[in-house]
Amino acid sequence: EPEVTQTPSHQVTQMGQEVILRCVPISNHLYFYWYRQILGQKVEFLVSFYNNEISEKSEIFDDQFSVERPDGSNFTLKIRSTKLEDSAMYFCASTSLGGGLTDTQYFGPGTRLTVL
Amino acid sequence: QKEVEQDPGPLSVPEGAIVSLNCTYSNSAFQYFMWYRQYSRKGPELLMYTYSSGNKEDGRFTAQVDKSSKYISLFIRDSQPSDSATYLCAISGGGADGLTFGKGTHLIIQP
């Protein structure tokens, strides 16, 4: 069964450093998402991406964040200068939106980001 | 404004019991409702997806939506210890919108 994959599973970085989190969405999916979940908190939407551009972003997704689809399979989230409060699980999700009004989003296993 | 409210629990029930998990939401623009299951330090796994008011059944799971009350429920019949997890409700306005999640209910099924 196709699944969303994410690497690395755990990333430790120093405050102020740049990190890139990587995702491989399900192959025939067209819409891609990043969410984050701070420990003990709810899963929060960050950004959606379609046709090589951002479709929607939340207030959390400020200028420190960027997304990219550098090739036909990868989808990345970059945090330019990490802060302590960026420590969280980051989930990638994708959906096909195959002609329906909406479609379900399938989530990857997450990358745990720890900022020291 | 808290858009999706969900009791975080924990909710502890004996094996075999019927479990009822609930969420309320405030924005009537939300049209699509999902339940995800999340094990500790793992990604959310889709369980159920509904659009209209009413019930949708899949095996031991039943999702119920009452749009007039802005209330969604997930029922688990014949609960098993393997059902122990955090259950997240998620709602969407449709299309490619990002999902709005509840905080999740931590469910414990006692053998």
Side-chain angles (χ1 to χ4, degrees), chain A residues 23-35:
Chain A
C23 168
V24 178
I26 294 173
S27 62
N28 64 340
H29 284 187
L30 301 175
Y31 291 82
F32 315 118
Y33 306 81
W34 284 102
Y35 293 81

Side-chain angles (χ1 to χ4, degrees), chain B residues 48-68:
Chain B
M48 301 283 287
Y49 158 62
T50 57
Y51 166 63
S52 57
S53 283
N55 294 351
K56 181 177 181 179
E57 190 172 316
D58 184 1
R60 294 185 297 111
F61 298 91
T62 299
Q64 188 175 82
V65 175
D66 181 347
K67 287 187 178 179
S68 62

Side-chain angles (χ1 to χ4, degrees), chain B residues 67-101:
Chain B
K67 287 187 178 179
S68 62
S69 302
K70 300 188 185 68
Y71 194 84
I72 60 175
S73 301
L74 178 71
F75 299 96
I76 307 174
R77 290 184 301 280
D78 188 24
S79 55
Q80 306 293 313
S82 58
D83 295 328
S84 298
T86 296
Y87 288 79
L88 312 172
C89 63
I91 56 179
S92 166
D97 284 3
L99 300 179
T100 300
F101 281 88

Side-chain angles (χ1 to χ4, degrees), chain A residues 4-8 20-26 29-35 45-56 61 66-78 90-95 106 111:
Chain A
V4 177
T5 59
Q6 291 185 242
T7 54
I20 297 177
L21 310 182
R22 302 180 193 281
C23 168
V24 178
I26 294 173
H29 284 187
L30 301 175
Y31 291 82
F32 315 118
Y33 306 81
W34 284 102
Y35 293 81
F45 167 72
L46 292 178
V47 65
S48 60
F49 190 85
Y50 171 72
N51 199 26
N52 284 317
E53 59 183 31
I54 290 173
S55 299
E56 183 188 7
F61 194 87
S66 61
V67 290
E68 190 179 27
R69 187 152 163 85
D71 54 43
S73 58
N74 290 283
F75 178 52
T76 63
L77 174 70
K78 181 193 291 186
Y90 287 81
F91 295 108
C92 174
S94 68
T95 186
Y106 295 88
T111 292

Side-chain angles (χ1 to χ4, degrees), chain A:
Chain A
E1 184 175 323
E3 57 183 17
V4 177
T5 59
Q6 291 185 242
T7 54
S9 56
H10 187 196
Q11 174 86 49
V12 181
T13 190
Q14 295 291 324
M15 190 170 56
Q17 295 296 304
E18 174 183 288
V19 294
I20 297 177
L21 310 182
R22 302 180 193 281
C23 168
V24 178
I26 294 173
S27 62
N28 64 340
H29 284 187
L30 301 175
Y31 291 82
F32 315 118
Y33 306 81
W34 284 102
Y35 293 81
R36 79 170 184 192
Q37 185 177 31
I38 295 170
L39 188 64
Q41 303 294 316
K42 58 174 66 176
V43 177
E44 299 173 291
F45 167 72
L46 292 178
V47 65
S48 60
F49 190 85
Y50 171 72
N51 199 26
N52 284 317
E53 59 183 31
I54 290 173
S55 299
E56 183 188 7
K57 60 183 181 179
S58 72
E59 292 176 354
I60 303 168
F61 194 87
D62 61 22
D63 291 344
Q64 292 298 313
F65 292 91
S66 61
V67 290
E68 190 179 27
R69 187 152 163 85
D71 54 43
S73 58
N74 290 283
F75 178 52
T76 63
L77 174 70
K78 181 193 291 186
I79 309 175
R80 280 191 195 80
S81 177
T82 50
K83 307 183 190 71
L84 295 175
E85 55 264 36
D86 293 327
S87 295
M89 284 289 283
Y90 287 81
F91 295 108
C92 174
S94 68
T95 186
S96 62
L97 215 65
L101 295 174
T102 191
D103 209 341
T104 52
Q105 295 180 24
Y106 295 88
F107 283 73
T111 292
R112 182 155 64 103
L113 176 65
T114 302
V115 182
L116 302 175

